[in-house]
């Protein structure tokens, strides 16, 4: 067996957590139930490159259950949960060598598909991926990261959320739910209006910086928190990013201009400013929910990964329908992903009557919304 993991003795622990995650990933378990016997991925060799987490392990075992021959490598060592990697390696899933005969790709992130030589399905733009991952995922994993890092009481604190897109909306909501007073910054008047109507103060970073105890950047843009902001922050302000990689917070300025820095524990650094005040920087300005916590909960990853499985089935079994280029999953499949998660939540869905179906000109079995509908 070919594998390279940090510590194979962690396999038993990983297996127990995988078992727990299975019940929280009903979309993937539905795929196993629906396709486990017919094995539509038989003959397919799938090489995955995705963070090796417990949730990813449930994805890998789903692809295997559907008949695929799976090999896996993590995108980087920092996103590997060693017990997940060990549990998967113990089942005989290797890491990929060179693979010929690729029929297509399914892409999870917003990152572009550059030198495309096979058709690809863009899973990122499925509603059940983007809307749920960004909003519901961050709504839970942001505060998880902040709390694991600092144990700070959020009630009564002032928190700034830079950006009020899907991620910012989720972050602002959970901070407010803990009793923090949330200030939002925005460049887009529509998002700024949404923030104001949701009850948040909307201000600029210059205005907010001297008043805020907790800072969260969610913009996907660069240079959001800069030297002039660090200089006016109150004592032990907590500064974190959950947006695009590490460009939102000017960490280089902090490193160059702080008097000193003390590492409190992994991913938590306390900088001393020239004024003598301190700043707590989380995850070195990288994604705080991944650096200081374990990323999104299984349930929300189940949405993304069920899209991935459906995309792989589509590419493998219906290859001629996907010419070279980037495709979307059809709306019916997006709806199927959502449907597959309802039972576990005891959701009772209403069925269109034939009269209603005619009245709205929508098939009883969907799709229920036009392709361009915004949720
Ligand atoms: P989005 O485009 O919906 O929202 C970003 C918002 O930031 C927009 O409304 C935009 O107007 C605003 N903005 C841009 N520049 C600004 C500035 N200078 N000041 C204030 N606001 C500004 O995007 P999104 O879906 O919310 O995602 C945001 C980022 O989070 C992306 O980089 C995305 O890749 C990342 N993301 C992270 C996670 C995670 O788990 N950490 C999950 C999903 C997405
Ligand atoms: N993905 N299982 C790092 C994850 C990096 C990562 C990234 C997730 C999950 C957003 C997917 C402990 C998990 C993932 C743990 C970890 C993602 C980037 C997950 C949230 C997305 C850029 N994006 N995600 N769970 N790394 O939570 O696979 O370190």
């Amino acid at each position: 067996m070919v594998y390279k993991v940090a510590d194979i003795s962690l396999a038993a622990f990983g297996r127990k957590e995988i078992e727990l995650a299975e019940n929280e990933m009903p979309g993937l378990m539905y795929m196993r139930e629906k396709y486990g016997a017919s094995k539509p991925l038989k003959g397919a060799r799938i090489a995955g490159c995705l963070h090796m987490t417990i949730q990813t392990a449930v994805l890998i075992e789903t692809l295997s259950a559907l008949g695929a021959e799976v090999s896996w490598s993590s995108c980087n060592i920092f996103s590997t949960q060693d017990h997940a990697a060990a549990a998967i390696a113990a089942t005989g899933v290797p890491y990929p060598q060179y693979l010929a005969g690729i029929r297509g790709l399914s892409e999870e992130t917003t990152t572009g598909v550059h030198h495309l030589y096979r058709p690809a399905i863009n899973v990122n733009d499925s509603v059940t991926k983007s809307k749920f991952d960004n909003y519901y995922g961050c709504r839970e994993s942001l505060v998880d990261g902040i709390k694991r890092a600092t144990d700070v009481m959020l009630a009564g604190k002032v928190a700034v959320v830079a950006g009020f897109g899907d991620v910012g909306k989720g972050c602002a909501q959970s901070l407010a739910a803990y009793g923090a007073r949330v200030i939002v910054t925005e460049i887009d008047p529509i998002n700024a209006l949404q923030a104001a109507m949701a009850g948040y103060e909307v201000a600029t970073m210059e205005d907010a910086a001297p008043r805020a105890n907790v800072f969260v950047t969610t913009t996907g843009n660069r240079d959001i928190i800069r030297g002039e902001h660090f200089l006016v922050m109150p004592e032990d302000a907590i500064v974190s990013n959950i947006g695009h990689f590490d460009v939102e917070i000017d960490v280089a300025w902090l490193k160059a201009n702080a008097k000193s820095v003390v590492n409190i524990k992994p991913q938590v650094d306390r900088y001393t400013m020239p004024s003598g005040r301190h700043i707590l920087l989380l995850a070195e300005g990288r994604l705080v929910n991944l650096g200081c916590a374990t990323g999104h909960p299984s349930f929300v990853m189940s949405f993304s990964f069920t899209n991935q499985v459906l995309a792989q089935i589509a590419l493998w079994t219906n290859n001629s329908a996907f010419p070279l280029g980037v495709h979307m999953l059809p709306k019916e499949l997006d709806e199927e992903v959502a449907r597959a998660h309802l039972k576990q939540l005891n959701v009772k869905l209403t069925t269109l009557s034939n009269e209603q179906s005619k009245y709205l000109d929508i098939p009883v079995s969907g799709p229920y919304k036009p392709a361009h509908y915004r949720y």
Side-chain angles (χ1 to χ4, degrees), residues 110 129-130 133-135 137-138 141 161-169 185-188 191 217-224 241-245 248 287-290 295-296:
T110 322
K129 196 278 179 183
S130 58
D133 182 285
N134 299 10
Y135 178 70
C138 293
S141 56
V161 174
F164 200 67
D166 292 327
V167 172
K169 286 180 175 77
T185 74
E186 252 298 341
I187 53 159
D188 182 322
N191 298 72
T217 55
T218 80
T219 68
N221 199 355
R222 56 177 295 164
D223 307 332
I224 303 302
N241 165 52
I242 194 167
H244 189 62
F245 300 102
E248 304 214 17
L287 305 178
V288 64
N289 60 333
L290 304 172
H296 291 346

Side-chain angles (χ1 to χ4, degrees), residues 71-95:
S71 57
W72 216 264
S73 62
S74 192
C75 328
N76 65 64
I77 53 161
F78 301 112
S79 63
T80 293
Q81 293 171 350
D82 291 330
H83 61 322
I88 285 299
T91 67
V93 173
Y95 289 139

Side-chain angles (χ1 to χ4, degrees), residues 107-110 122-130 328 334:
E107 170 64 38
E108 167 92 3
T109 69
T110 322
N122 171 359
V123 167
N124 188 60
D125 291 349
S126 295
V127 178
T128 48
K129 196 278 179 183
S130 58
M328 292 267 303
D334 218 345

Side-chain angles (χ1 to χ4, degrees), residues 112-255:
V113 188
H114 291 302
H115 303 290
L116 205 58
Y117 64 105
R118 287 293 182 275
I121 291 183
N122 171 359
V123 167
N124 188 60
D125 291 349
S126 295
V127 178
T128 48
K129 196 278 179 183
S130 58
K131 284 285 163 179
F132 286 79
D133 182 285
N134 299 10
Y135 178 70
Y136 299 102
C138 293
R139 191 169 74 175
E140 303 215 6
S141 56
L142 168 75
V143 171
D144 189 359
I146 293 175
K147 292 249 177 210
R148 288 196 208 199
T150 67
D151 293 311
V152 74
M153 178 119 188
L154 289 167
K157 299 291 194 309
V158 175
V160 185
V161 174
F164 200 67
D166 292 327
V167 172
K169 286 180 175 77
C171 293
Q173 196 184 330
S174 56
L175 291 165
Y178 274 92
R181 284 177 286 149
V182 176
I183 304 175
V184 169
T185 74
E186 252 298 341
I187 53 159
D188 182 322
I190 298 175
N191 298 72
L193 187 60
Q194 285 182 317
M197 303 287 278
Y200 303 113
E201 178 183 344
V202 182
T204 62
M205 191 59 76
E206 287 67 33
D207 273 356
R211 298 188 277 143
N213 311 101
V214 179
F215 293 77
V216 182
T217 55
T218 80
T219 68
N221 199 355
R222 56 177 295 164
D223 307 332
I224 303 302
I225 297 180
R226 305 181 298 271
E228 63 261 39
H229 308 128
F230 287 123
L231 286 172
V232 296
M233 289 178 187
E235 173 65 359
D236 275 331
I238 295 168
V239 178
S240 65
N241 165 52
I242 194 167
H244 189 62
F245 300 102
D246 60 353
V247 300
E248 304 214 17
I249 300 170
D250 192 351
V251 176
W253 184 95
L254 203 53
K255 285 185 175 160

Side-chain angles (χ1 to χ4, degrees), residues 1-4 89 92-97:
M1 196 188 313
V2 193
Y3 59 76
K4 220 175 111 188
V93 173
Y95 289 139
Q97 306 298 311

